[in-house]
Amino acid sequence: MASRSGPAAVAATSWSGHDTWLMAVVGLSVVLVVVLVSWAKLHAFLALMLGAFAVTVLSGQGVARAAGAFTTGFGSTAGQVGVLIVLGAVFGRLLADSGGVDQLVSALTRRVGPRGLPWAVTGIACLVGLPMFFEVGFVMLVPLVLQIARRAGQPVLRIGVPAVVGLATVHALVPPHPGVLAAVTAVHADTGLTLLYGMIVAIPCAVVAGPLFTAYIWPRVAAHVPEAALAAFTADAPAPAAAPLRRVVRLRAPATAPAPAAAAPIPVAAAGGPTRSAAVAPRTAAPAGPPGRTAREPRAEDRTAHGARRTPPFAVTLCTVLLPVVLMMLEAAAGTFHLGHGFAARAIAFLGTPVVALLLAVLVALAVFGWAAGASRRRVHETLTRSFPPIAGVLVIVCAGGGYSAALRGAGIDAVIGEAARDLHIPLILLAWLVAALMRAATGSGTVATVAAGGIVASMAHGLNGPHAALLALALGSGAVFLGHVNDASFWMFKEYFGLSVGGTLRTWTVSHMLISLLSLGGILLLNAFAA
């Protein structure tokens, strides 16, 4: 049976046995992916590919369309997210090799202390995530998260979960984030009023789902940050071929000269309690190399005839890191406040495109972290070459997640959910949240969920006053962050970068997103009661 999509198709059909079967197919495919990864120990790429094929075949589209649906989604995700992952890895590698990450991490850890780190990271993630899609902000924050955990000797989940929560909260609730703006446009809400209400709802959500939830969950989930992730963003990581020998030498160091802490995290079992999330070893605990050498000194590879490599000033490093954030914020502001259509507006729109903004940041980083810092052209080339291998595994899994999500959408899941929603007689805000939540759970994309749910409820939003329209837009965003799981490409990014099992990712990533969604729904309903 052909898949159905669009409001016209929804209105023209009624619920059928095939629709019930499609909903069952979604559940069966999710179970299949989880079982293949967790029990059969199959690589996530293959599991997601088989899950996508199962969706296409079981939904009645035929074997011939199975490969096409998966490869279309795979290619789309590679173009939209994969390029950002590659550029983010290059930027992070340049930042790490120059010592810039060390500067940022040192400044942060000195100012807030270990107890304040989750709160500080939540705030930074909220700021960074305002103008950009979730995947872009995540790629930009990964180097800082890994280095903060390494430098401060903290469990990586204690830093990583607040970062994800900060990004997800603004993604769902705060303009000028693109997802919320889509909801504002769909229901014709006022952007300024939506921003005001969004901030009121977002702050308590970020606090509860960020630092407070993190304090509960990190001791209960084991994380083993992969060597590849550390190699991608850690300046003193050895080349892959030399890693085993270097590690053996460190382990055999005499007792009088303590060996540096290993780069790979080791789960620490609490006495009489569960296994704790692994801490990334701090770089300052035991400096590598001869006595007297500090972490900020140029490495031996850079003390060549080409001259010593210099660490860029802190202000230059900070400005370079914030460059893509500022460009995307300007682009979002220009679109929100309609700042004209002249050359300046077109230039801002071009430079604020995520791919262009990150590419420009990489080019600036090449100059200030590479050539201007005294690195030879050969050294810069080696840095760039080392940026790509560590992210290969993450890249194929994320793109496979996009292929799986495309197979679900191609089966007509969005049309079925919209059809079911129209038969429910519940308040409009609850209906908007429910439709968006079902869309997110079924398709895996928060942006797709917002746009699709907005199209379904838009016809019911006519005649709403300003406050109710703004709250309706927030309800769409709140529902679109609910229940991120194995059909979400970002779910696999989080899992692979932080070395979690599927179960551990469900307990951290999925539960934190559910908390954001449910808490924000409660705040929206409370504001709606006062706005009535």
Side-chain angles (χ1 to χ4, degrees):
M1 183 179 294
S3 63
R4 295 167 296 178
S5 61
V10 173
T13 58
S14 58
W15 190 264
S16 66
H18 181 70
D19 298 330
T20 304
W21 172 243
L22 283 182
M23 298 300 291
V25 165
V26 175
L28 290 172
S29 66
V30 170
V31 172
L32 175 64
V33 172
V34 172
V35 169
L36 289 176
V37 174
S38 301
W39 179 77
K41 304 301 180 185
L42 201 63
H43 192 275
F45 169 78
L46 295 176
L48 288 166
M49 191 173 185
L50 292 174
F53 278 32
V55 167
T56 305
V57 173
L58 293 177
S59 63
Q61 298 182 79
V63 178
R65 294 192 60 182
F70 177 81
T71 54
T72 299
F74 187 97
S76 176
T77 305
Q80 297 175 8
V81 179
V83 174
L84 300 177
I85 293 175
V86 172
L87 290 174
V90 173
F91 185 78
R93 180 78 263 168
L94 290 166
L95 188 63
D97 279 4
S98 69
V101 171
D102 282 337
Q103 288 184 326
L104 297 176
V105 172
S106 297
L108 183 61
T109 53
R110 282 198 311 268
R111 292 177 183 274
V112 301
R115 290 189 176 183
L117 281 176
W119 298 85
V121 170
T122 302
I124 291 172
C126 289
L127 178 63
V128 168
L130 272 177
M132 62 188 70
F133 286 103
F134 182 92
E135 294 84 358
V136 186
F138 184 83
V139 167
M140 290 186 61
L141 285 177
V142 163
L144 290 177
V145 167
L146 294 181
Q147 286 285 29
I148 288 172
R150 179 184 178 93
R151 172 63 63 87
Q154 295 292 313
V156 70
L157 289 183
R158 192 166 184 260
I159 310 299
V161 173
V164 167
V165 166
L167 289 173
T169 302
V170 296
H171 173 90
L173 300 170
V174 184
H177 192 279
V180 189
L181 289 179
V184 168
T185 302
V187 301
H188 307 288
D190 179 78
T191 303
L193 196 56
T194 307
L195 174 62
L196 174 62
Y197 286 158
M199 291 294 295
I200 294 173
V201 174
I203 291 174
C205 287
V207 169
V208 175
L212 298 183
F213 171 67
T214 300
Y216 167 80
I217 198 61
W218 77 257
R220 293 168 170 80
V221 177
H224 305 268
V225 180
E227 293 281 357
L230 289 171
F233 304 116
T234 305
D236 62 354
L245 177 60
R246 186 173 180 180
R247 198 175 297 117
V248 169
V249 171
R250 287 181 174 180
L251 290 173
R252 293 180 180 177
T256 55
I266 301 173
V268 180
T275 301
R276 291 182 175 268
S277 167
V280 182
R283 296 183 59 176
T284 55
R293 176 179 168 187
T294 63
R296 293 191 180 183
E297 292 181 29
R299 295 186 296 163
E301 302 94 300
D302 294 323
R303 297 199 197 99
T304 64
H306 301 286
R309 187 166 184 167
R310 300 179 298 274
T311 301
F314 175 79
V316 173
T317 301
L318 184 61
C319 289
T320 305
V321 170
L322 293 179
L323 174 62
V325 178
V326 172
L327 289 175
M328 283 182 273
M329 276 189 164
L330 287 175
E331 191 274 336
T336 301
F337 300 107
H338 309 290
L339 302 182
H341 302 282
F343 173 79
R346 292 196 299 272
I348 290 174
F350 173 73
L351 295 175
T353 305
V355 170
V356 177
L358 275 176
L359 176 61
L360 186 59
V362 168
L363 295 178
V364 172
L366 279 172
V368 300
F369 298 152
W371 304 311
S376 66
R377 286 174 295 179
R378 179 177 179 180
R379 179 62 188 163
V380 171
H381 175 74
E382 291 173 354
T383 295
L384 294 177
T385 302
R386 291 166 54 214
S387 303
F388 305 115
I391 62 168
V394 174
L395 195 59
V396 297
I397 292 173
V398 169
C399 294
Y404 177 59
S405 179
L408 289 171
R409 294 194 299 272
I413 299 299
D414 52 351
V416 172
I417 292 174
E419 183 179 328
R422 289 178 178 273
D423 295 333
L424 299 175
H425 301 287
I426 58 177
L428 186 56
I429 284 182
L430 278 178
L431 177 65
W433 181 90
L434 179 61
V435 173
L438 290 173
M439 290 288 184
R440 169 61 187 267
T443 66
S445 170
T447 303
V448 169
T450 303
V451 173
I456 291 170
V457 304
S459 60
M460 311 175 197
H462 294 298
L464 292 179
N465 59 23
H468 286 97
L471 291 172
L472 181 62
L474 291 178
L476 290 169
S478 170
V481 79
F482 184 77
L483 199 62
H485 58 96
V486 297
N487 61 353
D488 183 359
S490 300
F491 174 95
W492 298 100
M493 288 174 64
F494 184 78
K495 174 188 178 299
E496 294 301 312
Y497 272 124
F498 296 137
L500 294 166
S501 64
V502 172
T505 313
L506 289 170
R507 294 169 65 190
T508 51
W509 170 277
T510 304
V511 172
S512 65
H513 279 64
M514 291 175 65
L515 278 175
I516 295 170
S517 184
L518 294 173
L519 289 170
S520 59
L521 174 63
I524 292 166
L525 291 175
L526 184 62
L527 290 174
N528 186 62
F530 284 101

